[in-house]
């Protein structure tokens, strides 16, 4: 029975389940097709080596900061504010919240496209009128469940996390059983009908989905204020990372040993269902599709919690308007949850006009996460260089912590380049009104100045990028 002090607190197992539940959502079920479209096993191995190293370093930064700065809760944006000032803290919080909202939209598009495998006349590719109506009903059903309490929702997330791993593990075991070395060798460098492009281009084309599938690595950090033990935050982050990375690499590489690359690239989303169907027949697609629905609904629950928590924590630290710091009788940030689900609903409705809602939402979600990750890594460098939070006994850890943080910085900068200018300016299109509405509102409440000189330059660059993105959308140069 929980003591009064532990009531509403999360154990190491619950925090680890939060990380795994946040990471294993929609992305892992789309790895075979997305990778097979871009490259073969050789390129995939290089891509995972880059992504795995970069994200592991980022996980280590989260772990280190949880230890060095135990006074900072909801660290994703709070670290950015501590290191780079109020406006960068706001951009980090808003960007992370916005990316989480877009990720939730992607989940509903995937649910629609999964149902579309069996009811194509109703659900289509996940952006049909029926799919949108079903998505809206689901969004608000989850909304009212979460309003009943975070502890209950976290328990459901733990149960769902266990349930959704089973289909993935079964699929991996089936791929191992049908492993064909000759087929794997034929596919290794792309095999037949491989598009003519360099290895660098092949790897670059996989980078955004690797960011997407690693989203959630910071789940324990976001919920650090609920941890029973502060040190559990860093431990849960690394445990979740190691467990999920192993599954993702297996799901990516093993299908190459069971079917030609071109056949895997041609299956419909969710591509893991199609890849398994190539091996065992139609029942494999049904089996994975059920797993997708369970997994995505569980991940949606976790990300709904994270969305509301980020907005709530930002409001408590005066980076967002104070109305979003309000909690209901169950300790849930109700106003933040209402805003989150209204925005998610509007984005879901907008998918009706998107040419490829599935991949567009996936890529936009990935790019919006990069700025918060970059600022966290940058703050990791600052903490290690200045020695904040280090004692005399652990001062010898500072050089290695600084190297790890620098690698995380370089990785996130590389990901910005890999993403391409299109998605960067589209994110700026959303950052500008977010700044004008939410940031200015919060600053007026505090009667504080809007920008320092450096922050004014950052805002100017953001406005310029937003104008470029808006013009691109209006002229058709950029298409969603």
């Amino acid at each position: 029975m929980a003591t009064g002090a532990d009531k509403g607190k999360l154990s190491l197992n619950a925090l680890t389940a939060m990380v795994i539940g946040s990471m294993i959502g929609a992305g892992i079920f789309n790895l075979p097709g997305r990778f097979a479209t871009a490259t073969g096993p050789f390129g995939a191995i290089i891509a995972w080596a880059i992504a795995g190293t970069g994200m592991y370093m980022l996980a280590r930064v989260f772990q280190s900061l949880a230890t060095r700065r135990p006074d900072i809760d909801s660290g994703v944006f709070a670290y950015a504010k501590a290191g780079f000032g109020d406006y960068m803290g706001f951009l980090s919080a808003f960007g992370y919240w916005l990316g989480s909202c877009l990720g939730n939209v992607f989940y509903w598009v995937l649910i629609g496209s999964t149902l579309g495998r069996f009811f194509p006349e109703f659900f289509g590719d996940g952006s049909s009128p029926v799919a949108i109506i079903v998505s809206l009903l689901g969004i608000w059903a989850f909304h009212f469940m979460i309003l009943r309490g975070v502890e209950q929702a976290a328990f459901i997330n733990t149960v769902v996390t266990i349930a959704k791993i089973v289909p993935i593990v079964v699929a991996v075991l089936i791929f191992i059983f049908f492993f064909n070395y000759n087929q794997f060798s034929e596919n290794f460098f792309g095999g037949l009908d491989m598009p003519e492009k360099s290895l660098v281009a092949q790897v670059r084309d996989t980078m955004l989905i690797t960011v997407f599938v690693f989203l959630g690595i910071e789940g324990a950090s976001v919920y650090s204020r609920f941890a029973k033990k502060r040190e559990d935050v860093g431990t849960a982050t690394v445990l979740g990372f190691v467990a999920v990375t192993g599954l993702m690499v297996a799901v990516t590489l093993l299908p190459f040993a069971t079917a030609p690359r071109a056949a895997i690239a041609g299956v419909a989303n969710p591509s893991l269902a199609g890849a398994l169907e190539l091996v065992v027949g139609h029942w494999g697609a049904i089996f994975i599709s059920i797993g997708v629905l369970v997994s995505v609904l569980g991940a949606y629950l976790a990300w709904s919690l994270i969305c509301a928590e980020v907005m709530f924590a930002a409001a408590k630290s005066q980076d967002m308007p104070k109305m979003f710091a309000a909690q209901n009788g169950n300790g849930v940030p109700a106003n933040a949850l209402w805003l989150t689900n209204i925005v998610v609903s509007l984005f879901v409705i907008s998918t009706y006009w998107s040419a490829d809602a599935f991949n567009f939402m996936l890529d936009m979600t990935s790019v919006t996460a990069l700025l918060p990750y970059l600022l966290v890594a940058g703050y990791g460098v600052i903490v290690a260089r200045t020695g904040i939070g280090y004692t005399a006994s652990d001062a010898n850890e500072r050089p290695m912590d600084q190297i790890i943080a620098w690698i995380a910085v370089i990785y996130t900068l590389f990901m910005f380049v890999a993403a391409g200018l299109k998605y960067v300016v589209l994110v700026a299109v959303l950052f500008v009104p977010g700044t004008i509405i939410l940031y200015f509102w919060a600053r007026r409440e505090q009667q504080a100045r809007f920008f320092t000189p450096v922050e004014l330059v950052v805002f100017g660059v953001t406005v310029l990028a937003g104008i470029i993105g808006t013009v691109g959308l209006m002229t058709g140069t950029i298409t969603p």
Side-chain angles (χ1 to χ4, degrees):
M1 182 175 179
T3 64
D6 285 342
K7 182 175 176 58
K9 296 292 185 178
L10 302 178
S11 66
L12 173 61
N13 289 338
L15 286 168
T16 303
M18 184 68 75
V19 175
I20 295 174
S22 300
M23 292 175 72
I24 296 184
I28 193 168
F29 291 99
N30 298 286
L31 288 173
R34 186 75 178 246
F35 268 83
T37 301
T39 188
F42 183 60
I45 290 169
I46 294 174
W48 280 119
I50 295 171
T53 300
M55 279 296 183
Y56 177 71
M57 295 304 170
L58 194 61
R60 288 287 303 274
V61 172
F62 275 110
Q63 184 182 36
S64 176
L65 291 177
T67 302
R68 308 303 172 198
R69 294 301 310 267
D71 55 309
I72 297 180
D73 287 327
S74 303
V76 175
F77 80 92
Y79 294 139
K81 180 179 179 179
F84 303 99
D86 291 330
Y87 185 52
M88 296 308 292
F90 167 81
L91 286 181
S92 181
F94 181 72
Y96 189 82
W97 172 78
L98 184 64
S100 301
C101 290
L102 292 171
N104 286 347
V105 175
F106 174 81
Y107 290 151
W108 289 110
V109 174
L110 180 59
I111 289 171
S113 65
T114 302
L115 293 173
R117 295 179 66 94
F118 308 103
F119 310 103
E121 66 277 15
F122 296 111
F123 291 93
D125 64 353
S127 59
S128 69
V130 172
I132 289 173
I133 291 170
V134 169
S135 297
L136 293 175
L137 292 173
I139 290 167
W140 292 102
F142 272 91
H143 172 86
F144 290 107
M145 182 186 72
I146 293 171
L147 285 177
R148 298 181 61 183
V150 170
E151 191 173 30
Q152 171 188 323
F155 170 75
I156 295 173
N157 178 70
T158 302
V159 174
V160 171
T161 296
I162 296 170
K164 70 187 179 181
I165 289 176
V166 172
I168 299 172
V169 172
V170 170
V172 167
L173 293 175
I174 291 173
F175 287 136
I176 291 173
F177 182 79
F178 286 95
F179 190 94
N180 184 322
Y181 177 78
N182 291 331
Q183 182 67 75
F184 190 78
S185 298
E186 180 183 305
N187 285 331
F188 195 71
F189 294 105
L192 299 175
D193 302 318
M194 181 67 196
E196 289 293 333
K197 55 182 176 179
S198 68
L199 181 61
V200 172
Q202 292 177 35
V203 172
R204 186 187 63 228
D205 288 347
T206 67
M207 285 289 97
L208 279 183
I209 195 171
T210 62
V211 174
F212 184 85
V213 295
F214 276 123
L215 295 179
I217 194 173
E218 68 292 324
S221 178
V222 171
Y223 264 76
S224 56
R225 73 186 179 99
F226 286 100
K228 288 182 180 177
K229 298 179 181 178
R230 181 69 191 196
E231 58 268 24
D232 287 348
V233 174
T235 304
T237 300
V238 174
L239 287 175
F241 169 84
V242 172
V244 176
T245 300
L247 279 178
M248 292 190 298
V249 172
V251 165
T252 301
L253 294 179
L254 290 174
F256 284 117
T258 62
R261 181 206 58 79
I264 300 170
V267 301
N269 289 313
S271 59
L272 181 59
L276 191 61
E277 185 175 19
L278 293 174
V279 179
V280 300
H282 189 57
W283 75 263
I286 296 174
F287 177 68
I288 294 299
S289 295
I290 293 172
V292 167
L293 295 177
V294 174
S295 178
V296 171
L297 289 173
Y300 178 79
L301 171 61
W303 279 102
S304 293
L305 290 167
I306 288 174
C307 279
E309 179 66 17
V310 169
M311 182 64 73
F312 166 78
K316 285 198 68 176
S317 62
Q318 299 183 327
D319 294 291
M320 291 286 182
K322 61 184 179 182
M323 69 172 289
F324 298 114
Q327 293 176 288
N328 66 12
N330 296 316
V332 177
N335 290 341
L337 189 66
W338 277 100
L339 177 64
T340 294
N341 286 324
I342 289 171
V343 169
V344 170
S345 296
L346 292 174
F347 276 125
V348 163
I349 294 170
S350 75
T351 62
Y352 181 76
W353 293 278
S354 176
D356 185 4
F358 187 91
N359 284 303
F360 179 69
M361 287 299 172
L362 185 154
D363 292 338
M364 282 292 289
T365 303
S366 301
V367 175
T368 50
L370 290 178
L371 179 62
Y373 285 169
L374 175 63
L375 295 175
V376 167
Y379 187 57
V381 172
I382 292 173
V383 169
R385 287 186 62 184
T386 58
I388 299 172
Y390 288 85
T391 63
S393 61
D394 57 20
N396 60 328
E397 298 176 16
R398 286 175 56 192
M400 180 56 66
D401 287 348
Q402 188 173 341
I403 291 172
I404 289 170
W406 271 117
I407 294 174
V409 167
I410 293 169
Y411 166 72
T412 47
L413 288 173
F414 170 75
M415 294 308 302
F416 270 114
V417 175
L421 182 62
K422 167 184 173 179
Y423 292 104
V424 174
V425 297
L426 285 178
V427 168
V429 170
L430 299 173
F431 274 7
V432 173
T435 298
I436 294 173
I437 297 171
L438 295 174
Y439 182 71
F440 286 11
W441 180 359
R443 302 303 283 178
R444 281 196 300 267
E445 285 182 341
Q446 302 159 43
Q447 297 182 339
R449 69 174 177 175
F450 292 138
F451 301 113
T452 65
V454 173
E455 290 172 341
L456 185 59
V457 172
V458 173
F459 178 60
V461 172
T462 303
V463 171
L464 178 61
I467 292 172
I468 294 172
T470 301
V471 172
L473 287 170
M474 293 177 65
T475 60
T477 306
I478 298 176
T479 55

